[in-house]
PDB file of all heavy atoms in Angstrom:
ATOM      1  N   SER A 415     104.991 -49.183 -46.289  1.00  0.00           N
ATOM      2  CA  SER A 415     103.811 -48.386 -46.378  1.00  0.00           C
ATOM      3  C   SER A 415     102.734 -49.188 -47.074  1.00  0.00           C
ATOM      4  O   SER A 415     102.964 -49.883 -47.961  1.00  0.00           O
ATOM      5  CB  SER A 415     104.081 -46.980 -47.168  1.00  0.00           C
ATOM      6  OG  SER A 415     102.809 -46.394 -47.585  1.00  0.00           O
ATOM      7  N   GLN A 416     101.556 -48.890 -46.653  1.00  0.00           N
ATOM      8  CA  GLN A 416     100.403 -49.572 -47.326  1.00  0.00           C
ATOM      9  C   GLN A 416     100.214 -49.074 -48.748  1.00  0.00           C
ATOM     10  O   GLN A 416      99.737 -49.739 -49.641  1.00  0.00           O
ATOM     11  CB  GLN A 416      99.122 -49.326 -46.502  1.00  0.00           C
ATOM     12  CG  GLN A 416      97.828 -49.788 -47.150  1.00  0.00           C
ATOM     13  CD  GLN A 416      97.826 -51.281 -47.112  1.00  0.00           C
ATOM     14  OE1 GLN A 416      97.418 -51.994 -46.097  1.00  0.00           O
ATOM     15  NE2 GLN A 416      98.070 -51.991 -48.236  1.00  0.00           N
ATOM     16  N   PHE A 417     100.771 -47.889 -48.948  1.00  0.00           N
ATOM     17  CA  PHE A 417     100.498 -47.236 -50.292  1.00  0.00           C
ATOM     18  C   PHE A 417     101.559 -47.483 -51.175  1.00  0.00           C
ATOM     19  O   PHE A 417     102.019 -46.566 -51.842  1.00  0.00           O
ATOM     20  CB  PHE A 417     100.140 -45.750 -50.144  1.00  0.00           C
ATOM     21  CG  PHE A 417      98.899 -45.560 -49.130  1.00  0.00           C
ATOM     22  CD1 PHE A 417      98.963 -44.914 -47.933  1.00  0.00           C
ATOM     23  CD2 PHE A 417      97.595 -46.120 -49.517  1.00  0.00           C
ATOM     24  CE1 PHE A 417      97.925 -44.851 -47.037  1.00  0.00           C
ATOM     25  CE2 PHE A 417      96.548 -45.979 -48.677  1.00  0.00           C
ATOM     26  CZ  PHE A 417      96.623 -45.244 -47.384  1.00  0.00           C
ATOM     27  N   GLU A 418     102.027 -48.632 -51.172  1.00  0.00           N
ATOM     28  CA  GLU A 418     103.167 -48.992 -52.092  1.00  0.00           C
ATOM     29  C   GLU A 418     102.858 -50.462 -52.683  1.00  0.00           C
ATOM     30  O   GLU A 418     101.946 -50.991 -52.227  1.00  0.00           O
ATOM     31  CB  GLU A 418     104.512 -49.077 -51.444  1.00  0.00           C
ATOM     32  CG  GLU A 418     105.027 -47.742 -50.876  1.00  0.00           C
ATOM     33  CD  GLU A 418     105.347 -46.562 -51.814  1.00  0.00           C
ATOM     34  OE1 GLU A 418     105.419 -46.891 -53.093  1.00  0.00           O
ATOM     35  OE2 GLU A 418     105.550 -45.416 -51.440  1.00  0.00           O
ATOM     36  N   THR A 419     103.708 -50.934 -53.620  1.00  0.00           N
ATOM     37  CA  THR A 419     103.519 -52.090 -54.262  1.00  0.00           C
ATOM     38  C   THR A 419     104.633 -53.125 -54.026  1.00  0.00           C
ATOM     39  O   THR A 419     105.775 -52.586 -53.884  1.00  0.00           O
ATOM     40  CB  THR A 419     103.275 -51.958 -55.740  1.00  0.00           C
ATOM     41  OG1 THR A 419     101.944 -51.392 -55.855  1.00  0.00           O
ATOM     42  CG2 THR A 419     103.235 -53.311 -56.495  1.00  0.00           C
ATOM     43  N   GLY A 420     104.549 -54.374 -53.824  1.00  0.00           N
ATOM     44  CA  GLY A 420     105.569 -55.304 -53.619  1.00  0.00           C
ATOM     45  C   GLY A 420     106.017 -55.858 -54.979  1.00  0.00           C
ATOM     46  O   GLY A 420     105.357 -55.913 -55.860  1.00  0.00           O
ATOM     47  N   PHE A 421     107.394 -56.042 -55.066  1.00  0.00           N
ATOM     48  CA  PHE A 421     107.900 -56.566 -56.298  1.00  0.00           C
ATOM     49  C   PHE A 421     108.714 -57.845 -56.111  1.00  0.00           C
ATOM     50  O   PHE A 421     109.582 -57.891 -55.200  1.00  0.00           O
ATOM     51  CB  PHE A 421     108.948 -55.446 -56.832  1.00  0.00           C
ATOM     52  CG  PHE A 421     108.465 -54.189 -57.185  1.00  0.00           C
ATOM     53  CD1 PHE A 421     108.511 -53.082 -56.279  1.00  0.00           C
ATOM     54  CD2 PHE A 421     107.603 -54.003 -58.226  1.00  0.00           C
ATOM     55  CE1 PHE A 421     108.106 -51.879 -56.633  1.00  0.00           C
ATOM     56  CE2 PHE A 421     107.039 -52.770 -58.496  1.00  0.00           C
ATOM     57  CZ  PHE A 421     107.196 -51.668 -57.658  1.00  0.00           C
ATOM     58  N   ILE A 422     108.405 -58.778 -57.039  1.00  0.00           N
ATOM     59  CA  ILE A 422     109.206 -59.995 -57.123  1.00  0.00           C
ATOM     60  C   ILE A 422     110.330 -59.793 -58.228  1.00  0.00           C
ATOM     61  O   ILE A 422     109.936 -59.109 -59.207  1.00  0.00           O
ATOM     62  CB  ILE A 422     108.289 -61.210 -57.287  1.00  0.00           C
ATOM     63  CG1 ILE A 422     107.314 -61.345 -56.179  1.00  0.00           C
ATOM     64  CG2 ILE A 422     109.073 -62.480 -57.467  1.00  0.00           C
ATOM     65  CD1 ILE A 422     106.168 -62.420 -56.464  1.00  0.00           C
ATOM     66  N   SER A 423     111.425 -60.471 -57.971  1.00  0.00           N
ATOM     67  CA  SER A 423     112.468 -60.396 -59.008  1.00  0.00           C
ATOM     68  C   SER A 423     112.729 -61.772 -59.564  1.00  0.00           C
ATOM     69  O   SER A 423     112.257 -62.851 -59.008  1.00  0.00           O
ATOM     70  CB  SER A 423     113.759 -59.737 -58.397  1.00  0.00           C
ATOM     71  OG  SER A 423     114.462 -60.847 -57.813  1.00  0.00           O
TER      72      SER A 423
END
Side-chain angles (χ1 to χ4, degrees):
S415 165
Q416 174 70 78
F417 303 115
E418 302 286 353
T419 290
F421 299 107
I422 297 168
S423 78

